[in-house]
Amino acid sequence: MVSEALDLLDEVGLDQVTTRALAQRLGIKQPSLYWHFTSKDELLTAMAAAAMAPHAQFPLPVPSDDWRAWFMDNYSSFRQTLLLHRDGAKLHAGSRPAGEGLERTAAKVDFLVAAGLPRVSAEAAMLAASRFTVGSVLEQQADAERAPNEMPIDHDQAFRAGLGLIIEGLAQQG
């Protein structure tokens, strides 16, 4: 059901994903969806979790990793995962890690602290990088909807440059 909802997202965009449209796609009556999801928010949460599954497979850092390279690779993976679905960043925006995702986030912060960075700075940098990544993808996905005659932006380069600034700012804290 969630995979069908993600397919619907890719076809029509987040603003057009409704329980009615999903029920029609599944060939069921709309109230039947509430057997699986008590609200549209619960459906969107399940969709966001499923959409993030590829990034959830990104390896956790190990002590021998260079924290700067790992940080860049981690957020590049996050960005690529958000780009897998139309409106992927919109779908993800506002979600918070829970369960295993929260444990993975804590392990990432612990890695940065073990690399010699202050905990408060590591946490702030991860939050800033996460929000920067989501915002970057929101802009890239919005640009895809704009007229093609506008000045093109190299989104990959812009992302790497911005994330590099966050990394260098964090390095100053260590």
Side-chain angles (χ1 to χ4, degrees), residues 139-162:
E139 291 294 333
Q140 183 173 349
Q141 291 179 325
D143 282 355
E145 304 288 325
R146 293 190 182 122
N149 62 349
E150 290 184 20
M151 188 170 104
I153 295 173
D154 182 338
H155 292 283
D156 291 333
Q157 180 184 19
F159 175 76
R160 285 190 305 277

Side-chain angles (χ1 to χ4, degrees), residues 54-132:
H55 180 61
Q57 301 304 311
F58 186 79
L60 286 173
V62 296
S64 61
D65 286 343
D66 173 74
W67 74 263
R68 288 173 182 86
W70 172 83
F71 201 93
M72 180 67 76
D73 292 346
N74 179 67
Y75 286 97
S76 293
S77 167
F78 179 40
R79 177 176 175 262
Q80 290 306 314
T81 298
L82 292 173
L83 287 167
L84 290 175
H85 292 285
R86 178 179 177 179
D87 292 340
K90 262 186 177 178
L91 177 64
H92 179 76
S95 65
R96 301 286 182 263
E100 186 180 330
L102 193 56
E103 291 170 15
R104 288 178 60 83
T105 299
K108 293 172 183 182
V109 170
D110 290 345
F111 164 74
L112 294 172
V113 170
L117 301 166
R119 181 168 296 279
V120 69
S121 298
E123 290 171 346
M126 286 188 61
L127 181 61
S130 178
R131 291 186 173 170
F132 168 72

Side-chain angles (χ1 to χ4, degrees), residues 38-49:
T38 59
S39 66
K40 182 177 178 184
D41 285 341
E42 192 175 299
L43 171 63
L44 292 174
T45 298
M47 289 171 62

